[in-house]
Amino acid sequence: MKSNTAQIRASAYSEGTHLVLAGAGTGKTFTMIRRIENTLPYAQKLKKKILILTFSRKAAEEIKQRLFKKNIASIESLYAGTIHSFCYDIICRNMSAYKQVWKAPGQPKIITDDDEMNLLYEHFSLNKSRYMGMPLKTVYSLYKLGPDKVKKIPVLSTNGELISNLQELFIRMDSVKSRMNLIGFSEIIDRAVTLIRTDKKISDSLSDMYFAAFIDEFQDTSETDMELIKLVMGINRNIFLVGDDYQAIYGFRGADVGIIMNLKKYFKNLTVHKLILNYRSHKEITDLAEKIIRHNRKKTRKKLVSVQGKGGSVNIHGADTAEAEQDVIRSILSSGHGRNKKTAILVRNNWQISCLNKHLHDYIGPKTEILTMHKSKGLEYERVIVSGINDEIFPSPMSDIEEERRLFFVAVTRAVKELHIIYHSDGIHIPKFISEIT
């Protein structure tokens, strides 16, 4: 891939903190790799490392493989991993300090989300009526958010008794985990930050070790993540941040889209680059994506430009029942000219995947995947079917409307050439997201 002008500017090494606002399909990983390549000689001259942090193992491995394949870097010259694995390494390498700060008997064990939810269920199931009929997954999501943020959720804030019952449950859960020396993924970063903040030797050793930091998917950052980055880098401000506020879809995990939008509050001498040339999707699809996101009030100013130009298709289908929706999908999948296209069916929730798998198994060939919109992030398909748009399902009544709209943006920008959107309608009311784009 040949660099465009914006990518060349963003990838050239210069000191300071740089933010790359990289739209969907604009080559953000390519640009980051080039920037790392241009930064490494300066780090090696000072015998320091490059720190590369991501929010998924897959992304970390991809960056490492691309660097090692081109012989750009050696294992000794950098650390590339998830922000969680990096923080767990800090904890494990400073165990005596950790035991003292957290009064822990030894190295903590990481509890997976599934195991943590099962542990929560043991206490939740004792008296479900205290939680107003909330399903376990919703209660678990609230637990991950933390008590302070739960109190600010509009639909919950007026119910003092429910808030009190949830807080009691969460305190009980924390007590059990402490007794068993368990920490969840959401706590790993908090504990590493506390360690670095309370022990100057740890903070000094980290800032001496790294010449520059590269943070991928920066739109998914929380306040705690930001504090970690600043503590690790110390007075050294060679920080390269890549993200897209239009694709910030993890607020339910504590990510704060306001950070990427107001980054000058944290770094006064910030340099901002914008990547807007989309190499993935045809113009019809990028135009629709712009229609979706323009309804959000909280966003940076940028507009995707399709390098491919015209030649794609956007098709919007109404269906009055779940069976009619399945018939539409069958018709799309079995159309003569499109049977061999790499296809994804994207839905809002996991239960929709089970339902579609059950009813469409004869039509889903090896080229078709059914996955949630969240799971589709970073992927691309020649044909995308966004299914199940309904005001009771998507946008989710339990989620922030602007985050749901960003999730819609993510879903449609997975499509290269052919996009189908299927919505539920009773013939009178049109779902909110459909009315915004038609």
Side-chain angles (χ1 to χ4, degrees), residues 78-97:
L78 55 83
Y79 178 101
T82 67
I83 195 165
H84 294 90
S85 63
F86 176 67
C87 287
Y88 192 62
D89 282 350
I90 291 171
I91 290 170
C92 294
R93 281 191 276 107
N94 298 280
M95 191 44 58
S96 59

Side-chain angles (χ1 to χ4, degrees), residues 243-400:
D244 180 14
D245 57 299
Y246 290 12
Q247 300 183 75
I249 57 174
Y250 288 105
F252 65 93
R253 289 185 184 170
D256 182 357
V257 68
I259 293 173
I260 192 171
M261 291 170 55
N262 303 296
L263 200 58
K264 287 194 175 179
K265 185 175 83 175
Y266 301 88
F267 303 107
K268 290 180 181 177
N269 298 317
L270 179 72
T271 302
V272 179
H273 310 267
K274 291 183 182 181
L275 303 184
I276 60 168
L277 292 181
N278 176 289
Y279 291 90
R280 177 186 300 144
S281 307
H282 282 272
K283 188 177 187 299
E284 292 82 358
I285 293 160
T286 57
D287 284 352
L288 182 78
E290 290 296 328
K291 271 189 180 181
I292 292 167
I293 207 67
R294 75 182 179 194
H295 292 278
N296 273 8
R297 293 178 62 195
K298 292 187 289 185
K299 62 181 184 296
T300 56
R301 294 183 65 182
K302 61 183 183 297
K303 184 177 180 181
L304 283 180
V305 177
S306 170
V307 173
Q308 301 249 37
K310 291 184 177 180
S313 65
V314 173
N315 310 275
I316 300 176
H317 313 266
D320 55 3
T321 64
E323 291 75 20
E325 179 183 25
Q326 291 153 21
D327 286 341
V328 172
I329 296 173
R330 288 188 191 98
S331 175
I332 295 166
L333 294 177
S334 60
S335 59
H337 61 279
R339 286 176 181 166
N340 297 320
K341 287 182 179 177
K342 186 183 178 186
T343 301
I345 302 172
L346 306 182
V347 294
R348 178 63 178 84
N349 300 305
N350 283 307
W351 65 262
Q352 293 168 283
I353 296 177
S354 302
C355 183
L356 290 176
N357 273 322
K358 181 180 177 181
H359 292 98
L360 298 174
H361 59 88
D362 291 335
Y363 286 81
I364 300 170
K367 292 185 183 303
T368 304
E369 293 181 65
I370 307 179
L371 62 165
T372 64
M373 298 173 192
H374 284 96
K375 289 283 186 185
S376 75
K377 178 78 173 64
L379 304 176
E380 64 177 56
Y381 301 86
E382 189 176 359
R383 174 173 57 194
V384 167
I385 303 168
V386 180
S387 182
I389 295 185
N390 175 315
D391 286 343
E392 296 300 313
I393 301 170
F394 184 59
S396 167
M398 289 293 290
S399 299
D400 173 68

Side-chain angles (χ1 to χ4, degrees), residues 105 108-109 111 119 174-183:
K109 299 170 190 169
I111 184 170
L119 188 61
D174 287 342
S175 175
V176 170
K177 283 166 57 184
S178 176
R179 197 164 61 246
M180 298 172 73
N181 197 24
L182 300 173
I183 54 173

Side-chain angles (χ1 to χ4, degrees), residues 204-239:
D204 287 348
S205 69
L206 287 167
S207 57
D208 286 345
M209 189 182 300
Y210 297 108
F211 175 76
F214 291 76
I215 318 296
D216 192 20
E217 301 289 359
F218 185 69
Q219 74 276 354
D220 297 329
T221 304
S222 68
E223 285 286 353
T224 309
D225 301 334
M226 269 304 303
E227 188 174 0
L228 172 75
I229 294 162
K230 293 179 81 170
L231 283 169
V232 168
M233 296 311 293
I235 58 169
N236 174 10
R237 287 289 184 260
N238 285 333
I239 305 172

